Amino acid sequence: METTRSLGRSGIEVSALGFGCWAIGGEWQDADGQPLGWGKVDDEESVRAVRRALDLGVTFFDTADTYGAGHSERVLGRALGKRRAETVVATKWGNVFDEDTRTRTGADASPAYLRRALTASLDRLGTDYVDLYQFHLSDADTEQAALLRDACEELVREGLIRAYAWSTDDPARAAVFAEGPHCAAVQHTLNVLQDAPAMIRLCEEAGLASINRSPLAMGLLTGKRRARQPLEAGDIRSRPPAWLQGFGDGSGADPEWLARIDALRDVLTSEGRTLGQGALAWLWARSPRAIPIPGFRSVAQAEENAGALEKGALTGAQLAEVDRLLGR
């Protein structure tokens, strides 16, 4: 397997594995106190983990302005430092937040806010351009989105961004952005338990990269979660919002999901892979456009995720076996 992939039609080359920087933003919340982070984090360990990933060949890092209410961007910018030019940085906009209280306070889909948000992200990241700028409001109005797409084209002309994308699970919405010449990708949920055939078809037809969030099903596919194992209070999985599947009522991992993972264990752990590495290998086999972005909080997690690159993709026969085991 090639260890690099093209970021859609942008001409930008990235490692076939990206790193998602949601978790390293630390704790943050909604206005009603709903946790939106993954619990406490050690910034020095986050910085070491990013640098270790770089040394292991990972060049693509995905964050958002709202992760940790600006904190993830600041940590990522510090970690990349002088190595910024070696990397491809993706961030997102659309949510409004208060950095001081680490609270998401609302959303803004206006073109005026887009430019303000980008300026603030560039400052936090310590850079003068973003490689991939992604609209973060997954269910925004399509007419509004068309205006934002055109505004992104203007930002490309100005050299402030190189390409853009929409983070959404709706192929019809993603197609609106895909009409822009510098749209390079769509970021959407995809993992071995949650296939997205319509979105992959759109990526193939429109020449977009498929950036896969939740590639490890919010940690379930690492094999480290037990049924009904409680989560710390500041972790979004302890009070899962409606879109977050696999964690039921917040009392821990859903036993039904764990049973499906157990059924796949032998296939995914073939060739000496860990379960998580097998889940990433499934994504690469699923589509040549797939770029998974697993999260991380430690050097050890960075090393395990990056280790999947050496092992490569599952075979076509293994892909078919997964479908058979899941009754797809």
Side-chain angles (χ1 to χ4, degrees):
M1 183 188 91
E2 285 285 326
T3 55
T4 59
R5 294 198 163 181
S6 179
L7 194 62
R9 54 200 181 193
S10 66
I12 300 169
E13 190 178 89
V14 295
S15 49
L17 178 74
F19 268 33
C21 301
W22 178 10
I24 65 169
E27 292 185 277
W28 55 297
Q29 60 186 1
D30 231 330
D32 64 358
Q34 158 78 36
L36 295 173
W38 289 61
K40 290 184 172 51
V41 76
D42 173 347
D43 291 344
E44 299 312 313
E45 179 72 1
S46 300
V47 167
R48 285 191 292 270
V50 168
R51 291 176 179 166
R52 183 70 179 127
L54 278 169
D55 293 340
L56 293 170
V58 175
T59 61
F60 181 50
F61 294 88
D62 173 88
T63 186
D65 57 1
T66 196
Y67 294 164
H71 194 67
S72 175
E73 287 185 330
R74 292 185 188 281
V75 171
L76 179 62
R78 177 156 72 92
L80 297 179
K82 293 186 171 66
R83 299 179 72 176
R84 165 67 180 101
E86 298 170 38
T87 62
V88 176
V89 172
T91 192
K92 308 181 194 75
W93 91 93
N95 289 293
V96 182
F97 54 90
D98 181 327
E99 268 200 68
D100 294 332
T101 60
R102 289 194 164 217
T103 304
R104 178 188 176 273
T105 54
D108 190 335
S110 69
Y113 182 68
L114 158 63
R115 189 171 282 272
R116 287 205 307 279
L118 177 60
T119 302
S121 282
L122 292 172
D123 182 55
R124 284 188 293 265
L125 286 162
T127 186
D128 50 11
Y129 69 98
V130 163
D131 297 282
L132 184 70
Y133 204 35
Q134 302 165 105
F135 185 35
H136 208 174
L137 304 179
S138 60
D139 53 0
D141 174 75
T142 50
E143 284 178 32
Q144 191 65 23
L147 296 176
L148 293 171
R149 176 196 66 210
D150 296 344
C152 282
E153 286 292 335
E154 178 57 36
L155 295 171
V156 172
R157 283 192 287 276
E158 292 175 37
L160 293 172
I161 66 174
R162 293 172 74 193
Y164 58 88
W166 195 342
S167 177
T168 178
D169 288 320
D170 177 8
R173 283 185 165 86
V176 173
F177 258 41
E179 288 170 25
H182 291 90
C183 179
V186 57
Q187 181 169 141
H188 62 98
T189 299
L190 183 69
N191 59 59
V192 66
L193 299 177
Q194 295 170 287
D195 198 4
M199 192 66 92
I200 288 173
R201 196 158 53 244
L202 171 74
C203 290
E204 284 163 0
E205 288 166 2
L208 304 178
S210 158
I211 299 173
N212 314 138
R213 70 172 118 80
S214 297
L216 302 178
M218 304 291 281
L220 291 178
L221 284 161
T222 62
K224 299 181 178 92
R225 287 259 148 234
R226 297 186 303 281
R228 304 290 175 228
Q229 178 187 5
L231 292 131
E232 62 177 294
D235 190 321
I236 189 169
R237 296 168 296 181
S238 69
R239 283 174 58 191
W243 59 264
L244 203 173
Q245 298 184 305
F247 286 89
D249 55 6
S251 61
D254 186 329
E256 204 175 295
W257 281 58
L258 293 177
R260 287 156 70 203
I261 292 165
D262 270 341
L264 301 176
R265 193 174 297 271
D266 287 351
V267 185
L268 297 182
T269 57
S270 59
E271 284 84 55
R273 295 179 176 95
T274 65
L275 187 65
Q277 289 171 343
L280 297 172
W282 179 86
L283 288 158
W284 291 319
R286 180 66 183 85
S287 169
R289 299 189 168 275
I291 303 168
I293 49 166
F296 64 99
R297 275 195 282 189
S298 67
V299 171
Q301 287 172 330
E303 289 174 342
E304 181 181 336
N305 289 341
L309 281 168
E310 294 160 44
K311 305 251 189 338
L314 294 184
T315 63
Q318 288 170 320
L319 205 59
E321 176 66 2
V322 165
D323 281 343
R324 188 188 69 76
L325 290 166
L326 292 176
R328 289 204 287 238

